[in-house]
Amino acid sequence: MMWAAIVLGVIGVAAAGLLYVVARRFSVDDDPRIDQVEGLLPGANCGGCGFSGCRAFAQACCNATSLEGLSCPGSDRSTMGRIASALGLQNESCPDVRKVATVGCGAKCGGRQDVALYDGPASCVAVAAIGSGESLCSYGCVGMGDCVGVCPFDAISINSETKIPEVDHSLCTGCGRCAERCPRSVISIRQVRVQAVFTYVACSNASPGQLAVKACRSACIACGKCERVCASSAITFGRCGDGVSRVAPARIDAMKCTGCGMCGPACPTGAIRMAEG
């Protein structure tokens, strides 16, 4: 027994020594700047930057010779400026665009026609699985708040009156978790100019105008009035097979939109909303 213990002890010491030599031989020293850059980031690991988390983004910044194309949607311009200074890239310009979530449903109190009473799990996925839920509109938000639960920045809340989610764009980073969670693709992620006013269509109903407005008085009816008053050609519609008739809802390119505000008053149903990026 004593000899067995001695042999095992010698083998253990030899194995430990071998592991130590191998670890020292093949060790990779981390760039100390990675910790510094990571400390400047919000630490939410939302993935909105296109990397797996804040540390991966910090590593990419430290390995890059230019910050062009690298942006943390959860940080403001001053934070990206501090990262540039920490890496000796003081002259790098910070991005002028960011990503935000918008809700493609603007049903007002009493605007949607209720046709049923839902009694089941408080989950958007569950409601969408059985049809349109309580409302006649099978495209709109069902208001159970699945998006609220997955937002790591508390940027989404449910309006107590309309039961429709509202996005605080000052907190939203455009990480996309809410859009992925929404079973009806009511929430979309769009690129907007930083601190600039942009417009979007708060409707996802793809039915013809008469059917859409029957389901919800706030629906886009593809009348084209917004398109005609837009001086920047930022508003477009899908087209039917005849190439002439419009298909709701309208689409607004936030990068072309100048925030002039002409389209909102022109919309007869109030489907167009304005927000700040």
Side-chain angles (χ1 to χ4, degrees), residues 239-245:
R239 301 288 173 176
C240 294
D242 56 13
V244 178
S245 303

Coordinates of all heavy atoms in Angstrom, one line a residue, residues 239-245:
R239 N -47.0 46.5 -54.4 CA -48.0 46.7 -55.5 C -48.6 45.3 -55.8 O -48.0 44.3 -55.6 CB -47.3 47.2 -56.7 CG -46.6 48.5 -56.5 CD -47.6 49.7 -56.4 NE -46.9 50.9 -56.1 CZ -47.5 52.1 -56.0 NH1 -48.8 52.2 -56.2 NH2 -46.9 53.2 -55.7
C240 N -49.9 45.4 -56.2 CA -50.6 44.2 -56.6 C -50.1 43.7 -57.9 O -49.2 44.4 -58.5 CB -52.1 44.5 -56.6 SG -52.8 44.9 -55.0
G241 N -50.7 42.7 -58.4 CA -50.3 42.1 -59.7 C -50.4 43.1 -60.9 O -49.7 43.0 -61.9
D242 N -51.3 44.1 -60.7 CA -51.5 45.0 -61.8 C -50.4 46.1 -61.8 O -50.4 46.9 -62.8 CB -52.9 45.7 -61.7 CG -53.1 46.4 -60.4 OD1 -52.2 46.6 -59.6 OD2 -54.3 46.7 -60.1
G243 N -49.6 46.1 -60.8 CA -48.5 47.1 -60.7 C -48.9 48.5 -60.4 O -48.1 49.4 -60.3
V244 N -50.2 48.7 -60.1 CA -50.7 50.0 -59.8 C -51.3 50.1 -58.4 O -51.0 50.9 -57.6 CB -51.8 50.4 -60.9 CG1 -52.3 51.8 -60.5 CG2 -51.2 50.4 -62.3
S245 N -52.2 49.1 -58.1 CA -52.9 49.1 -56.8 C -51.9 48.9 -55.7 O -51.0 48.1 -55.8 CB -54.0 48.0 -56.8 OG -54.9 48.2 -57.9

